[in-house]
Amino acid sequence: MKTYFRLLSFAKPIEKFAIPYIITTVLSVIFSTLNLALLAPLLTTIFAKHGQQKMPLGPKPALVDIMATFKYYVTYAINNFGVWVALEFVCATIVVSALLGNLFRYLSQRIMENLRVHTLLNLRRAVFNNVMNLHLGFFSNERKGDIISKVASDVQVVQFSVTGTLQVIFKEPLTLITFLVVLFLISPSLTLYSFLVIPVSAFVISKIVKRLKAQAIASQQSYGNMISYLDEALSGIKIVKAFNATEFIKTRFDEENKRYSRITKSMARRQQLASPVSEFFGITMVAGIVLYGGHLLINNASTLTAPEFVTFIAFFSQVMRPAKAISDSFSNIHSGIAAGERVLDLIDEQPMVTDAPDAINITGFNEALKFENVTFAYQEKIVLSGINLTIPKGKTVALVGPSGGGKSTMMDLIPRFMDPQSGRITIDGQDIKQVTASSLRALMGVVNQESVLFNDTIFNNIAFGKTDVRPEDVEAAARIANAHNFILETENGYDTNVGDRGTKLSGGQRQRICIARAVLNNPPIMLLDEATSALDTESEKLVQEALNNLMKNRTSLVIAHRLSTIQNADIIAVIESGRVVEQGTHQELLKQNGLYRRLIDMQTFNE
């Protein structure tokens, strides 16, 4: 129940919906009950003999006793105005009652739908916002498809099962209680007799739905795997086809699809069995009541009249409807709680990188960026150990060395995508942990080896994250990035859609769009992670020229495997096994005849 009530907290302010829902639901139940309560007076009127002696009226009953009150007024109408007028009165009352009952039922459903959508809005917003705030390491350990499944599918399950159950929790028990009160008013002995079905039915249904929660968890995990397989297949479609792995991918997806189908079929069998079982018990009990009540009537063993007996049966048959809805909700709530737990786990995931309570905003970069005895590890594996490095303002610093040495990790630590285990990184002498992440990242432009573009226009990709950009500024950034000419040659110029992940553009064109995006941001610090290594010679030349334009009058940290990229750097730091083993200019390092010289001789760097 803790999970259920926590999920309901996303409906706040719930009183905005709950109060009008309660009012409209109560009125709907009252008028719906009234429709059935009028059945006995209707039958009394129809079977009354015209011209017979006046029927005994008796004392006026309390308004709470609906059946007796209407019987009193119908009898009064028959005695004073005749059977036809009484019949008109009863039929008119039924019509008005039905109109009001359905009107209030419609209003209550509208209010509940608004609550459901409002809850879904808040829940999905909370999940997505927290995911966006999480550190990069989280995404390295989680399947993207599983995250998508939680944000999309699981939230929908919560919406239709948990918030739907809220409707059942109030409306159906209220309807059930109201019907039972009326049944007691008609015949206490028959009502007590009818109670025999409830514990038996509840016991059987509880056995049926017992394993639903475990199955729901397995179902949602399987669905998340399917989404992951789909995402991986679409992202790597070229590799799939190049390695003739199409059948392998199909088989992997199909096996998970079959597993998901088996689980959902098993769940459906249990959920669907609850309703027929409750209905069977209800009909069996109605037959028993007819037998018992008929015996009382035939033997004149009860004061119950024939119209009242028919009304009792009608009411009891309707009692099974809310009882059935309640049993169905118990079977559905397991799926909702299981999905809700997965969603809440994602909401509860805490980012490892957060702003300090007293963090300050930094507005500029004036002196240097420094690594001071920095150590970093992924779980048990140490990646950086005792790193000391100074990146002076206006200088270009290149990180080189064998793959896996920790170069990319060093670059990821600067904008605080991750935090070191020990040591510190400072900007103008200020520990970056004491600076707000947003103001720190505002000083930096990032260009990665992988050109990350969004399925949008070229203009919007260059202006990404900004809403007040002028077209001339975007064009100026594109010119610096050597992108303006090829953009004009596309179908719609700057309004051309680049496709999913920029697939409509070549690798060099995508990279130049990314550089233009960094130029537009006009940051004082540039972080360039192997920005040309995946390009052909011609594209590399254009991109390198764009990078040179980008790095003018800026502080740059560059990771590269090509000599042409780093030989003109002011400082070259050679990283091996998480340590800075050499440092200097290109010529100085060649003279040292160390690791840098060996890498050059092995042609790790190429012109």
Side-chain angles (χ1 to χ4, degrees):
M1 290 303 292
K2 181 180 177 182
T3 300
Y4 181 82
F5 286 116
R6 187 166 170 213
L7 291 169
L8 282 184
S9 68
F10 289 95
K12 292 179 180 179
I14 196 168
E15 63 276 4
K16 174 184 174 182
F17 304 96
I19 294 172
Y21 175 73
I22 290 171
I23 294 171
T24 53
T25 300
V26 168
L27 292 172
S28 171
V29 170
I30 289 173
F31 285 108
S32 298
T33 306
L34 197 59
N35 289 335
L36 290 174
L38 289 170
L39 182 60
L42 178 64
L43 293 173
T44 301
T45 306
I46 291 173
F47 296 127
K49 294 180 180 179
H50 184 67
Q52 70 175 11
Q53 292 182 349
K54 289 188 175 183
M55 300 170 65
L57 193 60
K60 188 175 181 180
L63 287 174
V64 177
D65 192 344
I66 299 174
M67 296 284 294
T69 299
F70 272 96
K71 183 178 178 181
Y72 175 86
Y73 283 108
V74 169
T75 304
Y76 178 84
I78 293 173
N79 289 342
N80 293 278
F81 304 105
V83 175
W84 177 248
V85 173
L87 185 60
E88 288 179 329
F89 166 70
V90 172
C91 290
T93 307
I94 289 174
V95 170
V96 173
S97 176
L99 174 65
L100 293 174
N102 283 286
L103 173 63
F104 287 118
R105 183 161 65 93
Y106 166 74
L107 292 175
S108 67
Q109 289 174 338
R110 281 287 302 274
I111 293 166
M112 182 51 66
E113 184 61 30
N114 290 340
L115 172 63
R116 185 179 291 119
V117 172
H118 176 73
T119 305
L120 179 65
L121 170 72
N122 290 339
L123 188 58
R124 187 178 285 132
R125 178 193 290 136
V127 176
F128 185 77
N129 287 353
N130 194 61
V131 168
M132 289 297 97
N133 289 334
L134 292 174
H135 54 286
L136 289 184
F138 172 82
F139 300 97
S140 302
N141 299 323
E142 293 289 324
R143 281 182 176 270
K144 187 166 63 173
D146 197 44
I147 297 173
I148 293 171
S149 173
K150 289 177 182 179
V151 176
S153 175
D154 289 359
V155 170
Q156 289 292 123
V157 174
V158 171
Q159 177 199 15
F160 287 108
S161 61
V162 176
T163 57
T165 306
L166 182 64
Q167 183 175 3
V168 175
I169 285 173
F170 178 74
K171 181 185 175 183
E172 305 306 342
L174 177 63
T175 305
L176 186 62
I177 291 168
T178 306
F179 282 177
L180 289 175
V181 168
V182 176
L183 289 174
F184 264 109
L185 292 174
I186 296 173
S187 175
S189 59
L190 271 180
T191 305
L192 289 172
Y193 176 70
S194 67
F195 275 2
L196 293 174
V197 73
I198 295 175
V200 177
S201 178
F203 175 77
V204 174
I205 290 170
S206 68
K207 290 294 183 183
I208 292 172
V209 302
K210 187 176 181 181
R211 289 191 61 246
L212 274 177
K213 184 178 178 182
Q215 288 180 319
I217 293 172
S219 166
Q220 285 142 10
Q221 289 174 341
S222 179
Y223 183 78
N225 288 340
M226 273 203 304
I227 297 297
S228 292
Y229 293 157
L230 176 63
D231 175 68
E232 290 168 359
L234 295 177
S235 301
I237 190 67
K238 284 186 179 180
I239 298 299
V240 170
K241 292 186 178 294
F243 284 84
N244 288 324
T246 304
E247 292 305 317
F248 169 77
I249 290 294
K250 286 180 183 177
T251 302
R252 185 175 69 164
F253 182 86
D254 191 50
E255 289 299 320
E256 195 64 49
N257 193 14
K258 288 177 181 176
R259 178 171 176 266
Y260 178 70
S261 299
R262 285 195 300 269
I263 296 170
T264 51
K265 281 194 291 186
S266 178
M267 289 176 63
R269 281 198 299 269
R270 290 177 175 274
Q271 289 173 328
Q272 292 161 3
L273 190 58
S275 179
V277 166
S278 63
E279 192 166 320
F280 167 75
F281 279 115
I283 292 173
T284 302
M285 201 60 220
V286 168
I289 290 169
V290 170
L291 190 65
Y292 177 63
H295 171 75
L296 294 177
L297 283 174
I298 292 170
N299 295 285
N300 295 318
S302 172
T303 58
L304 196 67
T305 65
E308 289 174 338
F309 180 54
V310 173
T311 304
F312 185 94
I313 294 173
F315 262 108
F316 190 81
S317 67
Q318 291 299 305
V319 162
M320 297 316 299
R321 182 182 57 78
K324 181 180 171 185
I326 292 171
S327 69
D328 288 346
S329 72
F330 276 115
S331 64
N332 290 332
I333 192 65
H334 290 291
S335 298
I337 294 297
E341 287 175 350
R342 280 166 51 89
V343 172
L344 291 176
D345 284 344
L346 198 51
I347 291 175
D348 291 338
E349 187 73 36
Q350 295 298 315
M352 294 179 65
V353 177
T354 55
D355 288 342
D358 57 346
I360 61 172
N361 287 317
I362 188 167
T363 57
F365 176 56
N366 301 310
E367 298 174 10
L369 190 66
K370 292 184 180 181
F371 285 75
E372 299 178 3
N373 203 31
V374 170
T375 297
F376 180 84
Y378 288 109
Q379 296 175 344
E380 301 299 323
K381 182 183 178 183
I382 296 177
V383 180
L384 300 176
S385 181
I387 293 289
N388 289 285
L389 181 67
T390 299
I391 306 168
K393 180 182 178 180
K395 302 294 184 181
T396 296
V397 177
L399 302 180
V400 301
S403 296
K407 302 184 295 296
S408 294
T409 300
M410 286 180 64
M411 188 165 285
D412 287 343
L413 290 174
I414 294 173
R416 288 198 72 200
F417 294 152
M418 304 173 293
D419 279 338
Q421 272 73 35
S422 63
R424 66 175 194 157
I425 301 171
T426 63
I427 182 166
D428 294 342
Q430 178 74 49
D431 191 333
I432 61 173
K433 288 185 179 180
Q434 301 303 316
V435 174
T436 60
S438 58
S439 66
L440 176 67
R441 292 166 187 168
L443 299 176
M444 300 175 186
V446 179
V447 181
N448 294 314
Q449 178 181 0
E450 180 186 1
S451 308
V452 179
L453 297 181
F454 300 88
N455 197 336
D456 206 337
T457 64
I458 292 174
F459 182 95
N460 289 338
N461 269 284
I462 295 175
F464 181 69
K466 298 177 176 60
T467 56
D468 55 350
V469 179
R470 298 181 304 170
E472 52 266 34
D473 293 335
V474 171
E475 183 178 324
R479 287 182 183 277
I480 294 173
N482 278 345
H484 179 70
N485 291 337
F486 88 76
I487 292 174
L488 293 182
E489 293 171 359
T490 60
E491 184 180 359
N492 297 310
Y494 283 86
D495 292 325
T496 300
N497 189 287
V498 301
D500 188 40
R501 305 188 185 187
T503 51
K504 293 183 181 179
L505 304 178
S506 70
Q509 289 172 336
R510 290 197 298 270
Q511 194 66 290
R512 280 178 278 167
I513 295 294
C514 291
I515 293 171
R517 182 166 62 201
V519 170
L520 184 65
N521 203 38
N522 195 28
I525 301 171
M526 286 305 308
L527 306 176
L528 309 175
D529 188 353
E530 302 188 80
T532 63
S533 63
L535 304 178
D536 58 79
T537 305
E538 184 178 356
S539 295
E540 182 195 355
K541 184 177 180 182
L542 291 169
V543 171
Q544 188 60 52
E545 186 179 337
L547 289 173
N548 292 337
N549 293 336
L550 176 63
M551 290 188 289
K552 283 179 182 176
N553 303 318
R554 286 187 174 89
T555 305
S556 302
L557 182 65
V558 182
I559 296 176
H561 286 307
R562 296 179 188 264
L563 178 61
S564 57
T565 307
I566 52 93
Q567 63 182 346
N568 295 322
D570 298 297
I571 301 172
I572 300 172
V574 183
I575 312 297
E576 183 182 31
S577 302
R579 297 179 180 275
V580 179
V581 294
E582 293 176 356
Q583 188 172 324
T585 64
H586 174 65
Q587 295 299 328
E588 288 171 349
L589 292 177
L590 286 177
K591 291 177 182 178
Q592 289 183 19
N593 204 26
L595 175 60
Y596 182 79
R597 181 59 182 261
R598 291 201 303 274
L599 292 172
I600 295 295
D601 292 343
M602 291 168 61
Q603 297 183 349
T604 301
F605 305 115
N606 300 299
E607 289 285 1

